[in-house]
Amino acid sequence: ETGVTQSPTHLIKTRGQQVTLRCSSQSGHNTVSWYQQALGQGPQFIFQYYREEENGRGNFPPRFSGLQFPNYSSELNVNALELDDSALYLCATQRGSSTDTQYFGPGTRLTVL
Amino acid sequence: SQQGEEDPQALSIQEGENATMNCSYKTSINNLQWYRQNSGRGLVHLILIRSNEREKHSGRLRVTLDTSKKSSSLLITASRAADTASYFCATDDNAGKSTFGDGTTLTVKP
């Protein structure tokens, strides 16, 4: 157990809908990163938040957006869902430094029909 | 394309044997990390090796890093059936972004 939780565990949506995924961080972890993992592939970096500010973004369109709250929990929002958005979404938290270990949550499995 | 690429894609061994997985990357890094993932669940951190380190050990795990060849290896000694999982390397850049490869799927037969 890493102390990082994600909700919901599973989610089914239809094309065009919007979804919000949530992540709670370990105590003292002020940095959160979100990843998308398609079946059979490695996680792909979506973006990172540090102290409530976006701190780097991967190659994902603007319909992927995020928030980090004062308690360092985080949300990932995806608008206008597409079939290819079906994946496991992982969040990872760490203490501020980029040299620190990331601790991953169990993920949210999103299926877009 | 992915920064880190693992080799082989799949590895099947008998319990008690050693398993070696390799990772190659393309650009300069701050750190390289190895993770394990069981059946589409969350990633479990195994080892972090910094760019100025050459080797690290943790229990039955040994990681090497060769920055001149831009490669790393993960050795699992005396493997067990419970080691069956996918193993990923991830490289960390100056901005704290982690780039993962597509992993090596290890099967350890009892």
Side-chain angles (χ1 to χ4, degrees), chain A residues 26-33 48-51 55 68 72 93-102, chain B residues 94-97:
Chain A
Q26 260 198 35
S27 175
H29 286 194
N30 54 16
T31 301
V32 62
S33 301
Q48 182 184 86
Y49 278 81
Y50 171 63
R51 292 185 175 179
N55 185 44
Q68 188 181 30
Y72 302 134
T93 72
Q94 67 192 103
R95 297 181 200 279
S97 168
S98 64
T99 60
D100 273 2
T101 299
Q102 292 187 90
Chain B
N94 288 333
K97 172 185 167 183

Side-chain angles (χ1 to χ4, degrees), chain B residues 96-109:
Chain B
K97 172 185 167 183
S98 291
T99 305
F100 286 79
D102 283 339
T104 292
T105 300
L106 174 65
T107 303
V108 182
K109 301 174 193 172

Side-chain angles (χ1 to χ4, degrees), chain B residues 2 23 25 36 47 51-52 76 79 95 102-103 105:
Chain B
Q2 297 284 56
C23 170
Y25 58 92
R36 184 185 75 225
I47 290 186
S51 57
N52 61 353
I76 304 174
S79 63
D102 283 339
T105 300

Side-chain angles (χ1 to χ4, degrees), chain B residues 20-92:
Chain B
T20 299
M21 289 158 265
N22 302 297
C23 170
S24 60
Y25 58 92
K26 295 171 185 163
T27 60
S28 62
I29 61 171
N30 267 355
N31 314 308
L32 186 143
Q33 307 196 53
W34 285 90
Y35 294 85
R36 184 185 75 225
Q37 185 177 40
N38 289 84
S39 258
R41 296 165 70 181
L43 277 76
V44 173
H45 182 263
L46 297 176
I47 290 186
L48 179 153
I49 186 165
R50 304 194 191 283
S51 57
N52 61 353
E53 297 175 316
R54 292 296 166 257
E55 188 170 312
K56 283 190 89 166
H57 297 254
S58 177
R60 294 184 296 113
L61 306 180
R62 172 178 166 247
V63 166
T64 61
L65 178 65
D66 187 337
T67 53
S68 66
K69 294 181 180 177
K70 292 188 169 57
S71 67
S72 174
S73 68
L74 169 66
L75 168 67
I76 304 174
T77 60
S79 63
R80 305 166 183 167
D83 295 328
T84 295
S86 293
Y87 292 82
F88 295 89
C89 70
T91 54
D92 300 336

